[in-house]
Amino acid sequence: MHRSASRLTRVLACAAVPVILTVAGCSSDSGKSSSGSDSGKKSSSASSAKPSTKGSTSLEKVAFAKLPDPCKSVPAKTVESLVRDAKDKNGTAAKSNDLANRASCSWNGLETDGVKGSQYRWLSVSLVRYDSHASLGSGNKRAEEQYNKQIDLAKTTKDAHDVKVEQADGVGDQGTSVIYGIKKDVDFFNTTVVARTQNVVITLDFNGAAYEGAGAPDQAKLLQDAIAATKEVVTSVANGGNDQAPSGAESPAGSASASASASPKQ
């Protein structure tokens, strides 16, 4: 009887072992599943918490928020030297001037020297400013596009002949000169200097003609004077339009379509 009881005890003990292992196994699997789920949730939360860098690039801030007065962008002594006997030494400003975006001014005069004839001179300066715009690009990039357009316009001036294009060193960030002649009642000698300083494009035209037997203008001297005057305008832009502009600000007058024809033509 004692042996039977002992044998029964051993049988029950052995029978209980698989049950315990099975429970332990279930508990272990359950723990892994729960841990994996929690880990996945934490990973997902951590991933969603990271800030997205797509589309967050800020627009480039432009250097110049306004333009100087175009009629004062060329010093008075320079105007007096280049345009003798100017009709209006203060210049004639365009009616559409908007110092936030574009402006222009011109001077002209006929210097008469008795029987030696007369010398005519015409000087004009045009300024166009660009803001950075989300859909149009940075102010500097837009200004560079306009810079190239102005050079093309000068090169393709109606009735122009003997067109010569050269780089103008030391004039803003980019500078190009275009010289050509136009035959009207007399020969006109034309010089155009296009320059870009940051987000502003400058187009300066300096033309000359001789009347009543006067000697023809010196084309090399016209070019030299035009480049020197353009450098002064670049300095004026830097001194008169150096306030910071808000990025992305854009007005209709500063759009590409409105600014494309800002430079006056003779």
Side-chain angles (χ1 to χ4, degrees), residues 54 73 125 161 200 234:
K54 293 182 179 179
S73 64
V125 60
H161 61 80
V200 174
V234 170

mmCIF file of all heavy atoms in Angstrom, residues 54 73 125 161 200 234:
data_model
loop_
_atom_site.group_PDB
_atom_site.id
_atom_site.type_symbol
_atom_site.label_atom_id
_atom_site.label_comp_id
_atom_site.label_asym_id
_atom_site.label_seq_id
_atom_site.Cartn_x
_atom_site.Cartn_y
_atom_site.Cartn_z
ATOM 1 N N LYS A 54 11.552 68.422 -45.157
ATOM 2 C CA LYS A 54 11.078 68.690 -46.511
ATOM 3 C C LYS A 54 10.232 69.957 -46.555
ATOM 4 O O LYS A 54 9.342 70.146 -45.749
ATOM 5 C CB LYS A 54 10.257 67.506 -47.034
ATOM 6 C CG LYS A 54 11.102 66.250 -47.239
ATOM 7 C CD LYS A 54 10.246 65.118 -47.797
ATOM 8 C CE LYS A 54 11.079 63.866 -48.042
ATOM 9 N NZ LYS A 54 10.250 62.757 -48.572
ATOM 10 N N SER A 73 21.341 109.119 -58.298
ATOM 11 C CA SER A 73 22.266 107.981 -58.282
ATOM 12 C C SER A 73 23.549 108.290 -59.044
ATOM 13 O O SER A 73 24.587 107.682 -58.806
ATOM 14 C CB SER A 73 21.584 106.745 -58.886
ATOM 15 O OG SER A 73 21.259 106.951 -60.257
ATOM 16 N N VAL A 125 19.711 106.272 -66.690
ATOM 17 C CA VAL A 125 19.992 105.166 -65.770
ATOM 18 C C VAL A 125 18.666 104.529 -65.367
ATOM 19 O O VAL A 125 17.684 105.218 -65.076
ATOM 20 C CB VAL A 125 20.768 105.653 -64.522
ATOM 21 C CG1 VAL A 125 19.979 106.700 -63.747
ATOM 22 C CG2 VAL A 125 21.123 104.480 -63.628
ATOM 23 N N HIS A 161 24.331 98.892 -85.594
ATOM 24 C CA HIS A 161 25.373 98.286 -86.430
ATOM 25 C C HIS A 161 26.699 98.324 -85.674
ATOM 26 O O HIS A 161 26.882 99.090 -84.719
ATOM 27 C CB HIS A 161 25.490 99.015 -87.773
ATOM 28 C CG HIS A 161 25.869 100.460 -87.668
ATOM 29 N ND1 HIS A 161 27.158 100.895 -87.483
ATOM 30 C CD2 HIS A 161 25.089 101.589 -87.720
ATOM 31 C CE1 HIS A 161 27.192 102.213 -87.435
ATOM 32 N NE2 HIS A 161 25.945 102.670 -87.573
ATOM 33 N N VAL A 200 19.790 93.818 -57.509
ATOM 34 C CA VAL A 200 19.452 95.015 -58.283
ATOM 35 C C VAL A 200 20.193 94.999 -59.619
ATOM 36 O O VAL A 200 21.383 94.689 -59.673
ATOM 37 C CB VAL A 200 19.815 96.304 -57.509
ATOM 38 C CG1 VAL A 200 19.599 97.537 -58.380
ATOM 39 C CG2 VAL A 200 18.974 96.409 -56.244
ATOM 40 N N VAL A 234 26.338 101.944 -58.771
ATOM 41 C CA VAL A 234 26.459 100.762 -57.911
ATOM 42 C C VAL A 234 26.685 101.189 -56.467
ATOM 43 O O VAL A 234 26.070 100.656 -55.529
ATOM 44 C CB VAL A 234 27.615 99.853 -58.382
ATOM 45 C CG1 VAL A 234 27.899 98.759 -57.343
ATOM 46 C CG2 VAL A 234 27.285 99.206 -59.721
#
